[in-house]
Amino acid sequence: MNVEELNKIARAMVAPGRGILAMDESHPTCNKRFEKLEIPTTEPMRRAYRDMLVTAPGLSDFISGAILFDETIRQKTLEEIPFAAHLGNLGIIPGIKVDAGAKPLAGYEAEKVTHGLDGLRERCEEYFDMGARFTKWRAVITIGEGLPSWACIEANAHALSRYARISQEAGLVPIVEPEVLMDGSHSIDRCYTVTELTQRIVFHHLKNQGVALEGMVLKPNMVISGTEASARANVNAVAEQTIRCLMNTVPAAVPGIAFLSGGQTDQEASAHLNAMNSSGRSLPWTLTFSYGRALQQTAMQVWKGDRANVLPAQQALLWRARCNGSAALGSYNEGMESQAA
Ligand code: 13P
């Protein structure tokens, strides 16, 4: 395992003012989003959509890496260039989702554990040969009455650590994503407690499996009120609680933290990241974004599966990328949003 090389890639993934485009939706997730907009759920449509994303002019100004799905890394852009090669040519590091999805956890059916360790070593080697330089594995933790269980956090943390070590041995930087879901009516304090516990256990397992912390990127949820909470915490509270949680759990050896958006609105996701980066606190790691929906949702709504909408859809994507790039530097403000129109 070449820790120096992994560290170089990890630092490039979280370079100042740039973040990661998560475009690795599995077929069910991508198809669900397409169906809502009456876009045909076919392979050529998924290819055309993802082509629209990666050919947006100037994308690399704000995007350091892009997470692909297995189907996409095997496809070519509409100009017949393999997606990974196209990204590499732009200076965007290609990455790949390697988990096989979150499935019901035996004995704890209300909760999920992420599958995908079988054959992972061989798949990682194949993805490296295809040009990927980082991987992603997402675990989901649900907050509810009596949830999460200890068993669920332990099982997911163990799988994350096994995945991370295998990935590093194949020369790929693992994005370690323990996502505490926003679904529910819980308070920000409850989210804090569960997120802190989850991250503590994840780092314990990472250490046990010998994962090089210098060669990984953490992709956590922000500490935030549940989507159905009666009183939602404001932007400053989210920023403060998230930083407090990370300071208590994430070793300084980790080069960077790239948040998921998790169902926040586009503007919320930018405002929260910005508030953390403009807090004036000196932090040991870079804080940036690895957003899926908060980068793509407007672009997909504009595109609607129609070739004629490619340019305005790309402009919508670039706008979110620009806002989040600014937020990663702490220089975003709500006034920027009115310039979009
Ligand atoms: P969201 O930003 O839409 O939460 O997606 C990020 C991601 O990669 C989930 O695994």
Side-chain angles (χ1 to χ4, degrees):
M1 178 158 102
N2 184 341
V3 178
E4 214 173 290
E5 183 57 28
L6 291 168
N7 177 252
K8 211 167 97 190
I9 300 166
R11 281 189 289 113
M13 289 162 67
V14 296
R18 293 169 92 207
I20 297 166
L21 169 61
M23 48 179 286
D24 59 324
E25 299 79 13
S26 61
H27 291 337
T29 304
C30 183
N31 291 347
K32 206 162 60 191
R33 292 180 190 162
F34 274 15
E35 271 162 19
K36 261 197 197 151
L37 298 167
E38 296 178 9
I39 301 168
T41 55
T42 60
E43 185 267 343
M45 277 313 228
R46 290 192 293 271
R47 177 181 175 215
Y49 173 66
R50 284 156 172 163
D51 180 273
M52 179 278 289
L53 297 177
V54 303
T55 59
L59 189 66
S60 62
D61 291 349
F62 315 107
I63 299 297
S64 56
I67 317 172
L68 305 176
F69 185 59
D70 180 76
E71 177 181 77
T72 318
I73 202 168
R74 297 177 193 282
Q75 285 171 328
K76 292 179 172 163
T77 62
L78 298 183
E79 287 199 349
E80 299 298 338
I81 302 166
F83 271 86
H86 170 82
L87 290 166
N89 292 342
L90 295 174
I92 297 176
I93 307 167
I96 180 80
K97 171 192 176 76
V98 296
D99 67 68
K103 314 259 161 83
L105 174 62
Y108 298 83
E109 306 293 329
E111 298 184 287
K112 291 184 168 164
V113 64
T114 302
H115 286 220
L117 288 172
D118 287 351
L120 181 60
R121 190 184 288 276
E122 293 73 21
R123 283 190 292 127
C124 281
E125 285 165 3
E126 187 190 7
Y127 289 137
F128 184 94
D129 290 341
M130 292 169 100
R133 288 297 174 269
F134 69 91
T135 52
K136 182 192 105 171
W137 179 290
R138 172 176 178 255
V140 293
I141 306 293
T142 307
I143 297 182
E145 233 181 276
L147 303 183
S149 67
W150 183 255
C152 175
I153 301 178
E154 273 286 325
N156 276 297
H158 180 256
L160 274 168
S161 65
R162 294 266 297 113
Y163 138 76
R165 175 72 198 210
I166 291 170
S167 184
Q168 288 187 332
E169 286 184 11
L172 299 163
V173 170
I175 293 186
V176 173
E177 181 178 6
E179 175 176 5
V180 176
L181 295 174
M182 271 175 83
D183 302 346
S185 54
H186 54 270
S187 65
I188 187 170
D189 292 342
R190 177 96 178 104
C191 180
Y192 181 95
T193 305
V194 174
T195 304
E196 197 201 71
L197 179 65
T198 301
Q199 285 171 4
R200 234 183 244 296
I201 297 175
V202 166
F203 279 99
H204 171 75
H205 279 270
L206 291 171
K207 210 62 214 159
N208 282 350
Q209 295 300 324
V211 173
L213 301 181
E214 300 94 323
M216 63 163 275
V217 169
L218 179 71
K219 175 163 173 167
N221 54 285
M222 295 181 193
V223 175
I224 193 167
S225 316
T227 32
E228 282 124 49
S230 46
R232 308 210 62 222
N234 65 27
V235 173
N236 286 336
V238 170
E240 255 171 55
Q241 299 269 41
T242 304
I243 288 180
R244 186 160 72 92
C245 182
L246 296 171
M247 289 292 269
N248 274 287
T249 55
V250 185
V254 173
I257 295 170
F259 293 101
L260 58 93
S261 60
Q264 299 180 44
T265 65
D266 294 357
Q267 279 89 345
E268 278 170 347
S270 299
H272 288 146
L273 178 62
N274 185 67
M276 287 182 237
N277 281 315
S278 55
S279 70
R281 300 271 299 266
S282 144
L283 303 170
W285 357 255
T286 308
L287 296 183
T288 188
F289 58 93
S290 174
Y291 294 160
R293 283 162 286 180
L295 280 168
Q296 291 185 54
Q297 58 203 358
T298 313
M300 192 188 284
Q301 282 158 13
V302 172
W303 180 66
K304 288 199 212 78
D306 189 340
R307 228 171 222 279
N309 297 332
V310 164
L311 270 180
Q314 289 179 328
Q315 278 161 2
L317 168 69
L318 285 171
W319 183 253
R320 290 326 313 162
R322 176 183 294 276
C323 287
N324 290 314
S326 298
L329 297 171
S331 59
Y332 163 86
N333 62 67
E334 272 177 35
M336 280 176 75
E337 299 291 353
S338 53
Q339 295 165 30

